């Protein structure tokens, strides 16, 4: 029974082993922290009904307590445990996009600890599409509150190694299932106000959402007042200053001796060898590929002690909206 107690903190175990999932579920039930893969990014999970466990998540991430967590569920019984009432529009979005990378902000049940929702009357809830995330929630037999498994403000993790690098032994256990397929965090839509509102762009695009529920207010890029701290202008950020180039083909003038990195989604130019590091996110400009590779590439660049990172912008359409949102937040100072 105490096998997990003997595991050093921060142990990375393959999620393909059923024993790992069982241990992870037990750790969650006992009030511990487990980092686990989702289709978007790795999450730092705890029992969503346990305020003491939630406090450990905030501490591990050094996250301010005014920033609420997303509650992850696997079935409608858990949805009822978490959500107070379900507007008709929520049902339509759930029918189409769940399980998947869409988070809905809805009126909450009083049983959810205030710490999880930062004292708000709403809760952010999502049903992930990742088999390991689903297996873990089922095994723990409770909704799992999980922010991205990175120190607050830093780039989200898309591999188990990223989690270990950033949080190390502040987490009890890291479930490894390889790189995340989507690579940017879930789209967040609030249905708690008079009108649907996009709080964070993600891989479910505004066009996809509108085709199901009609018009959606976009507070994100229009209005910079943060409603959700994920909307803080500097977030998802590297230590190294990042600059977004004026256009995809544009290149900066580099002073002698400057060590710069370049993130591109086109073929490198002959002259790009003057950059210390070049990362090709997708040689064909495919937005899904760019999103999938973005955070890992930013982290690799950030580990090189460069003077600056330059990134090509992509078209702000579809998934490109989320990619540009993350690049802008990384670039903000
Ligand atoms: O893809 C994702 O959503 C990942 C994976 C692990 O599921 N999670 C994630 O969590 O990105 P986090 O904590 O890094 O971002 C959650 C965002 C925060 O910006 C938070 O402020 C917002 O969701 N949020 C949570 N509850 C909210 C609420 N009740 N109202 C408005 N925003 C909320
Ligand atoms: Mg985060």
């Amino acid at each position: 029974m105490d096998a997990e107690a003997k595991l050093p903190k921060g142990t990375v175990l393959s999620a393909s082993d059923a024993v790992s999932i069982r241990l992870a579920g037990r750790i969650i039930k006992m009030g511990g922290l487990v980092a686990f893969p989702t289709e978007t990014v790795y999450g730092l999970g705890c029992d969503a009904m346990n305020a003491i466990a939630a406090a450990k998540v905030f501490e591990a991430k050094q996250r301010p307590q005014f920033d609420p967590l997303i509650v992850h569920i696997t079935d409608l019984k858990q949805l009822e445990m978490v959500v107070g009432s379900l507007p008709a529009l929520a049902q339509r979005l759930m029918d189409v996009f769940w399980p998947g990378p869409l988070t809905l902000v809805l009126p909450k049940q009083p049983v959810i600890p205030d710490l999880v929702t930062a004292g708000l009357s709403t809760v952010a809830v999502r049903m992930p599409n990742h088999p390991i995330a689903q297996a873990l929630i089922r095994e723990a037999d409770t909704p799992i509150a999980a922010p991205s498994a990175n120190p607050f403000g830093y780039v989200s993790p898309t591999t188990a190694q990223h989690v270990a690098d950033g949080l190390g032994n502040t987490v009890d256990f890291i479930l490894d299932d390889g790189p995340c397929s989507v690579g940017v965090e879930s789209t967040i839509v609030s249905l708690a106000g008079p009108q649907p509102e996009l709080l964070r762009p993600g891989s479910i695009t505004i066009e996809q959402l509108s085709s199901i529920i009609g018009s959606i207010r976009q507070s994100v890029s229009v209005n910079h007042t943060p409603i959700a701290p994920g909307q803080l202008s500097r977030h998802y950020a590297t230590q190294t200053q990042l600059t977004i180039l004026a256009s995809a083909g544009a290149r900066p003038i580099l002073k002698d001796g400057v060590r710069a990195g370049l993130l591109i989604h086109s073929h490198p130019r002959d002259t790009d060898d003057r950059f210390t590091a070049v990362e090709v996110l997708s040689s064909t400009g495919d937005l899904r590929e760019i999103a999938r590779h973005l955070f890992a590439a930013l982290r690799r660049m950030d580990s090189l002690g460069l003077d600056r990172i330059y990134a090509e912008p992509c078209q702000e359409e579809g998934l490109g909206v989320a990619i540009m949102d993350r690049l802008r937040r990384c670039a903000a100072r």
Side-chain angles (χ1 to χ4, degrees), residues 13-29 34 36-37 130-141 144 173 175-177:
L13 284 183
S14 166
S16 57
D17 184 347
V19 175
S20 309
I21 307 273
R22 230 173 298 138
L23 282 178
R26 206 183 300 166
I27 289 171
I28 296 273
K29 248 188 258 182
V34 173
F36 63 99
H130 195 290
I132 301 302
Q134 293 179 353
L136 176 65
I137 301 167
R138 271 197 302 274
E139 192 65 41
D141 195 26
I144 292 184
F173 193 39
L175 277 176
D176 183 0
D177 195 50

Coordinates of all heavy atoms in Angstrom, one line a residue, residues 13-29 34 36-37 130-141 144 173 175-177:
L13 N 6.9 8.5 -14.1 CA 6.6 7.1 -14.5 C 5.8 7.0 -15.8 O 5.0 7.9 -16.0 CB 5.8 6.4 -13.4 CG 6.6 6.0 -12.1 CD1 5.6 5.3 -11.1 CD2 7.8 5.1 -12.4
S14 N 6.1 6.0 -16.5 CA 5.3 5.8 -17.8 C 3.8 5.6 -17.5 O 3.5 4.7 -16.7 CB 5.9 4.7 -18.6 OG 4.9 4.4 -19.6
A15 N 3.0 6.3 -18.2 CA 1.5 6.2 -18.0 C 1.0 5.0 -18.6 O -0.2 4.6 -18.4 CB 0.8 7.5 -18.5
S16 N 1.8 4.3 -19.4 CA 1.3 3.1 -20.1 C 1.1 1.9 -19.2 O 0.5 1.0 -19.5 CB 2.1 2.8 -21.3 OG 3.4 2.6 -20.9
D17 N 1.7 2.1 -18.0 CA 1.6 1.0 -17.0 C 0.4 1.2 -16.1 O 0.3 2.3 -15.5 CB 2.9 1.1 -16.2 CG 3.0 -0.1 -15.2 OD1 2.0 -0.7 -15.0 OD2 4.1 -0.2 -14.7
A18 N -0.5 0.2 -16.1 CA -1.7 0.4 -15.3 C -1.4 0.7 -13.8 O -2.2 1.4 -13.1 CB -2.6 -0.8 -15.4
V19 N -0.3 0.1 -13.3 CA 0.1 0.3 -11.9 C 0.3 1.8 -11.6 O 0.0 2.3 -10.6 CB 1.3 -0.5 -11.6 CG1 1.8 -0.2 -10.1 CG2 1.0 -2.0 -11.7
S20 N 1.0 2.5 -12.6 CA 1.2 3.9 -12.4 C -0.1 4.7 -12.3 O -0.2 5.6 -11.4 CB 1.9 4.5 -13.7 OG 3.0 3.7 -14.0
I21 N -1.1 4.4 -13.1 CA -2.3 5.1 -13.0 C -3.0 4.8 -11.7 O -3.6 5.7 -11.0 CB -3.3 4.6 -14.1 CG1 -2.6 4.7 -15.5 CG2 -4.6 5.4 -14.1 CD1 -2.7 6.0 -16.2
R22 N -2.9 3.6 -11.2 CA -3.5 3.2 -9.9 C -2.8 4.0 -8.8 O -3.5 4.6 -7.9 CB -3.4 1.7 -9.7 CG -4.8 1.2 -9.3 CD -4.8 -0.3 -9.2 NE -4.5 -1.0 -10.4 CZ -3.7 -2.0 -10.5 NH1 -3.1 -2.6 -9.5 NH2 -3.5 -2.6 -11.7
L23 N -1.5 4.0 -8.8 CA -0.8 4.8 -7.8 C -1.1 6.3 -7.9 O -1.4 6.9 -6.8 CB 0.7 4.7 -8.0 CG 1.4 3.4 -7.5 CD1 2.9 3.5 -7.9 CD2 1.2 3.3 -6.0
A24 N -1.2 6.8 -9.1 CA -1.5 8.2 -9.3 C -2.9 8.6 -8.7 O -3.1 9.6 -8.0 CB -1.4 8.6 -10.7
G25 N -3.8 7.7 -9.0 CA -5.2 7.9 -8.5 C -5.2 7.9 -7.0 O -5.9 8.7 -6.4
R26 N -4.5 7.0 -6.4 CA -4.4 6.9 -5.0 C -3.8 8.2 -4.3 O -4.3 8.7 -3.3 CB -3.7 5.7 -4.5 CG -4.2 5.2 -3.2 CD -3.4 4.0 -2.7 NE -3.4 2.9 -3.6 CZ -2.6 1.8 -3.6 NH1 -1.7 1.8 -2.7 NH2 -2.8 0.8 -4.4
I27 N -2.8 8.7 -5.0 CA -2.1 9.9 -4.5 C -3.1 11.1 -4.5 O -3.2 11.8 -3.6 CB -0.8 10.2 -5.3 CG1 0.2 9.2 -4.9 CG2 -0.3 11.6 -5.0 CD1 1.5 9.2 -5.8
I28 N -3.8 11.2 -5.6 CA -4.8 12.3 -5.7 C -5.9 12.1 -4.6 O -6.2 13.1 -3.9 CB -5.6 12.2 -7.1 CG1 -4.6 12.5 -8.2 CG2 -6.8 13.2 -7.0 CD1 -4.4 13.9 -8.6
K29 N -6.3 10.9 -4.3 CA -7.3 10.6 -3.3 C -6.8 11.0 -1.9 O -7.6 11.5 -1.1 CB -7.8 9.2 -3.3 CG -9.2 9.0 -3.8 CD -9.6 7.6 -3.6 CE -9.6 6.9 -4.9 NZ -10.1 5.5 -4.9
V34 N -0.4 15.2 -8.6 CA 0.1 14.4 -9.7 C 0.0 15.2 -11.0 O -1.0 15.8 -11.3 CB -0.8 13.1 -9.9 CG1 -0.4 12.4 -11.2 CG2 -0.8 12.2 -8.7
F36 N 0.0 15.2 -15.0 CA -0.5 14.2 -15.9 C -0.7 14.9 -17.3 O -0.9 16.1 -17.4 CB -1.9 13.6 -15.4 CG -3.0 14.6 -15.3 CD1 -3.9 14.8 -16.3 CD2 -3.1 15.5 -14.2 CE1 -5.0 15.7 -16.2 CE2 -4.1 16.4 -14.1 CZ -5.0 16.5 -15.1
P37 N -0.7 14.0 -18.4 CA -0.8 14.6 -19.7 C -2.3 14.8 -20.1 O -3.2 14.1 -19.6 CB -0.3 13.4 -20.6 CG -0.5 12.2 -19.8 CD -0.4 12.6 -18.4
H130 N -7.9 13.1 -23.4 CA -6.7 12.3 -23.4 C -7.0 11.0 -22.6 O -7.5 11.1 -21.4 CB -5.6 13.1 -22.8 CG -4.2 12.5 -23.0 ND1 -3.9 11.3 -22.3 CD2 -3.2 12.9 -23.7 CE1 -2.6 11.0 -22.7 NE2 -2.2 12.0 -23.5
P131 N -6.7 9.8 -23.1 CA -7.1 8.6 -22.4 C -6.4 8.5 -21.0 O -7.0 8.0 -20.1 CB -6.5 7.5 -23.3 CG -5.7 8.1 -24.4 CD -6.1 9.6 -24.4
I132 N -5.2 9.0 -20.8 CA -4.5 8.9 -19.5 C -5.2 9.9 -18.5 O -5.4 9.6 -17.4 CB -3.0 9.3 -19.7 CG1 -2.4 8.3 -20.6 CG2 -2.3 9.3 -18.3 CD1 -2.5 6.8 -20.2
A133 N -5.5 11.1 -19.0 CA -6.2 12.0 -18.1 C -7.6 11.4 -17.7 O -7.9 11.5 -16.5 CB -6.5 13.4 -18.9
Q134 N -8.3 10.8 -18.6 CA -9.6 10.2 -18.3 C -9.4 9.1 -17.3 O -10.1 9.0 -16.3 CB -10.3 9.7 -19.6 CG -10.7 10.9 -20.5 CD -11.4 10.4 -21.8 OE1 -11.4 9.2 -22.0 NE2 -11.9 11.3 -22.6
A135 N -8.4 8.2 -17.6 CA -8.1 7.1 -16.7 C -7.8 7.6 -15.3 O -8.2 7.0 -14.3 CB -7.0 6.2 -17.3
L136 N -7.0 8.6 -15.2 CA -6.6 9.1 -13.9 C -7.8 9.7 -13.1 O -8.0 9.4 -11.9 CB -5.5 10.2 -14.0 CG -5.1 10.9 -12.7 CD1 -4.4 9.9 -11.8 CD2 -4.2 12.1 -13.0
I137 N -8.7 10.4 -13.8 CA -9.8 11.0 -13.1 C -10.8 9.8 -12.6 O -11.3 9.9 -11.5 CB -10.6 12.0 -14.0 CG1 -9.7 13.1 -14.5 CG2 -11.8 12.5 -13.3 CD1 -10.3 14.0 -15.6
R138 N -10.9 8.8 -13.5 CA -11.7 7.7 -13.1 C -11.1 6.9 -11.9 O -11.8 6.6 -11.0 CB -11.9 6.7 -14.3 CG -13.1 7.0 -15.2 CD -13.5 5.9 -16.1 NE -12.3 5.5 -16.9 CZ -12.1 6.0 -18.1 NH1 -12.8 6.9 -18.6 NH2 -11.0 5.6 -18.8
E139 N -9.9 6.7 -12.0 CA -9.2 6.0 -10.9 C -9.3 6.8 -9.6 O -9.5 6.2 -8.5 CB -7.7 5.8 -11.3 CG -6.9 4.9 -10.4 CD -7.4 3.4 -10.5 OE1 -7.8 3.0 -11.6 OE2 -7.5 2.8 -9.5
A140 N -9.1 8.1 -9.6 CA -9.2 8.9 -8.4 C -10.6 9.1 -8.0 O -10.9 9.4 -6.8 CB -8.6 10.3 -8.7
D141 N -11.5 8.8 -8.9 CA -13.0 8.9 -8.6 C -13.4 10.2 -8.0 O -14.2 10.3 -7.0 CB -13.3 7.7 -7.6 CG -14.8 7.5 -7.5 OD1 -15.5 7.8 -8.5 OD2 -15.3 7.0 -6.4
I144 N -10.8 16.5 -11.0 CA -9.4 16.9 -10.7 C -9.2 18.3 -11.1 O -9.4 18.7 -12.3 CB -8.4 15.9 -11.4 CG1 -8.5 14.5 -10.7 CG2 -7.0 16.5 -11.3 CD1 -7.5 13.5 -11.3
F173 N 4.3 13.1 -8.2 CA 4.4 12.0 -9.1 C 4.1 12.6 -10.5 O 3.2 13.5 -10.6 CB 3.3 11.1 -8.7 CG 3.3 9.7 -9.3 CD1 4.4 9.0 -9.6 CD2 2.0 9.2 -9.7 CE1 4.4 7.8 -10.1 CE2 2.0 7.9 -10.2 CZ 3.2 7.2 -10.4
L175 N 3.2 11.6 -14.4 CA 2.8 10.5 -15.4 C 3.2 11.0 -16.8 O 2.8 12.0 -17.2 CB 1.2 10.4 -15.4 CG 0.6 9.5 -14.3 CD1 -0.9 9.6 -14.5 CD2 1.1 8.1 -14.4
D176 N 4.0 10.1 -17.4 CA 4.6 10.5 -18.7 C 3.8 9.7 -19.8 O 3.8 8.5 -19.8 CB 6.0 10.1 -18.7 CG 6.8 10.4 -20.0 OD1 6.1 11.0 -20.9 OD2 8.0 10.2 -20.1
D177 N 3.3 10.5 -20.8 CA 2.7 9.8 -21.9 C 3.2 10.5 -23.2 O 2.4 10.7 -24.2 CB 1.2 9.7 -21.9 CG 0.6 8.7 -22.9 OD1 1.2 7.6 -22.9 OD2 -0.2 9.1 -23.7

